Amino acid sequence: MLVERHYYDTVSQAMNGLAARGYTTDFKLEPEKDKIVAPQRSLELSPEDFEIDEIYRFEGITDPGDEMIVYAISSHNHKIKGVLVNAFGTYSDSNTYDIVKRLHKHL
């Protein structure tokens, strides 16, 4: 199966491009609960319920605060697709990283 690659220059371009392709839920991480949350649908799901479909990394050339990773994630069991945005580098959070690394990769 041929997979089309997408390239984005900014986080907002990635978010808009993914939304146009059906990744419409804005997921949040709740490390204290060890959950990925979809506030719009009042869902709290385990990282194991998801797969990472695509990853986009953006490096802050002048500001380390701009170092972000955008994950396009999906859960086939819960029929939901969306994006998860996380900082990396100086502003990364080890609790958040622990959740993200448990997501099943499907690239």
Side-chain angles (χ1 to χ4, degrees), residues 67-101:
E67 295 179 338
M68 304 294 288
I69 299 178
V70 176
Y71 298 92
I73 62 175
S74 61
S75 173
H76 298 290
N77 292 341
H78 297 280
K79 297 180 178 30
I80 189 169
K81 292 180 12 176
V83 293
L84 179 62
V85 179
N86 192 27
F88 72 90
T90 305
Y91 294 97
S92 65
D93 174 358
S94 63
N95 292 330
T96 297
Y97 176 74
D98 289 341
I99 292 176
V100 170
K101 76 179 183 182

Side-chain angles (χ1 to χ4, degrees), residues 14-27 38-41 71-74 79-84:
M15 301 285 285
N16 290 336
L18 290 166
R21 292 187 289 123
Y23 292 88
T24 56
T25 301
D26 184 18
F27 290 108
Q40 308 91 319
R41 291 178 49 179
Y71 298 92
I73 62 175
S74 61
K79 297 180 178 30
I80 189 169
K81 292 180 12 176
V83 293
L84 179 62

Side-chain angles (χ1 to χ4, degrees), residues 4-32:
E4 183 180 349
R5 306 268 309 155
H6 298 272
Y7 299 94
Y8 303 105
D9 292 324
T10 66
V11 171
S12 60
Q13 284 178 354
M15 301 285 285
N16 290 336
L18 290 166
R21 292 187 289 123
Y23 292 88
T24 56
T25 301
D26 184 18
F27 290 108
K28 305 290 183 213
L29 292 175
E30 290 199 7
E32 63 281 349

Side-chain angles (χ1 to χ4, degrees), residues 30-36 45-48 98-99 102:
E30 290 199 7
E32 63 281 349
K33 293 183 178 181
D34 195 33
K35 299 290 182 186
I36 296 174
L45 303 171
S46 167
E48 286 78 19
D98 289 341
I99 292 176
R102 287 174 40 217

